[in-house]
Each structure stands twice: as C-alpha cells, then as structure tokens.
Amino acid sequence: MKIRKYQEADLESMIKIWNEVVEEGVAFPQEEMLTEKTGKEFFASQSYTGVAVEDDRVLGLYILHPNNIGRCGHLCNASYAVSSLCRGRHIGEKLVSDCLTQAVDIGFRVMQFNAVVENNIHARHLYERLGFHQLGTIPGGFRMKDGTYMAICPYYKELL
C-alpha cells in the first residue's frame, strides 16, 4: 500500500468512501453526501488530498486545509476516511503520518482537530500515540446520527 496525492481517476472511490463515513453519522460533521460534481470540487479545493492505494484500489483518503485565516492561517485541519472493508489495517495511521509530512511541506505550523468525537477511541488513541494533545472536552458538541449528543475532544500538534 502507498499513500499519494489523489488523481481524477480516484474520485469515484473517494466519494464513495467519504459518503460512507458521512452516512455512518458518528465522526464527520457533514450531513450532505458528495455527488460527482461536488466531490470533484470539494477534493480539488483542499490544500492537499491524499489517498491510500493498493493494487490501484483506493482504501482511504485524507483532506488537509487551513483551520483558520489570516493571522491563524498557519494552523491546519484534516479529516480522514477509510473504507469500512479495510478498517483495522492501520491505514488511518499511514494517512495521518503522510498528512503531517504534507502539512510541514506546505508550511503549516500546527495541526488542530476541532471535533474528534469522544467515543471515537481508535482515532483518539492514534492521535495521542502520534503526539497530539487533547485541549479539553466540549460536552454535547457533536450530534450523532441517532439524534443524541456526544462530547467532542479538540486535539492539536505542533509541527515545527
């Protein structure tokens, strides 16, 4: 498996994986599904979009972009999605590690995750293992698909 910059030929698989996570309703804040048109625009608008590929098949992806503007434009944010058929293979760790490298190359100084859902234990353990620090907990910060509210845990990591 390798991590590389996405190509237009990857878009159909990327949109499917992204929409799968949105549909699950337990990790991404988005509720709208990407279409072929909106997906192409969305992924192209990021500072960097990477994919995990094995045998020409997209297994997962990430998006990297500024977390804010102006005087806080050096802070970045990212989102990660792995196909449900491929979870448990440490693809997320490879995506996050590549994303950190790309963020430094672009010139970002801090990576910040605004809304890691409290019960997303696998992601939280991964971020902590990679040197991210939890900033606190925001009670009821995420509305789950079933309508209940879960706390979110913001994280950050200095990149320089």
Side-chain angles (χ1 to χ4, degrees), residues 37-148:
K37 180 180 185 294
T38 61
K40 183 176 182 176
E41 293 168 355
F42 177 69
F43 293 121
S45 72
Q46 307 301 317
S47 299
Y48 190 89
T49 301
V51 290
V53 179
E54 185 176 77
D55 300 325
D56 294 324
R57 191 178 77 159
V58 176
L59 310 179
L61 64 110
Y62 71 87
I63 59 170
L64 172 65
H65 51 87
N67 193 53
N68 213 316
I69 60 169
R71 296 184 191 279
C72 295
H74 58 283
L75 280 76
C76 64
N77 187 292
S79 297
Y80 309 92
V82 175
S83 167
S84 63
L85 301 174
C86 302
R87 293 179 188 159
R89 295 178 48 193
H90 303 284
I91 296 167
E93 183 169 0
K94 291 177 175 83
L95 290 168
V96 175
S97 294
D98 188 78
C99 182
L100 291 168
T101 299
Q102 296 300 330
V104 169
D105 288 349
I106 290 170
F108 291 115
R109 298 176 57 91
V110 176
M111 184 169 289
Q112 179 177 323
F113 300 139
N114 302 321
V116 181
V117 181
E118 185 176 45
N119 68 350
N120 191 349
I121 299 300
H122 296 296
R124 294 181 62 203
H125 287 169
L126 170 60
Y127 300 151
E128 290 166 9
R129 194 167 63 249
L130 293 176
F132 284 82
H133 304 280
Q134 185 176 336
L135 289 167
T137 302
I138 302 169
F142 189 91
R143 183 174 40 81
M144 305 292 280
K145 183 178 180 177
D146 67 5
T148 60

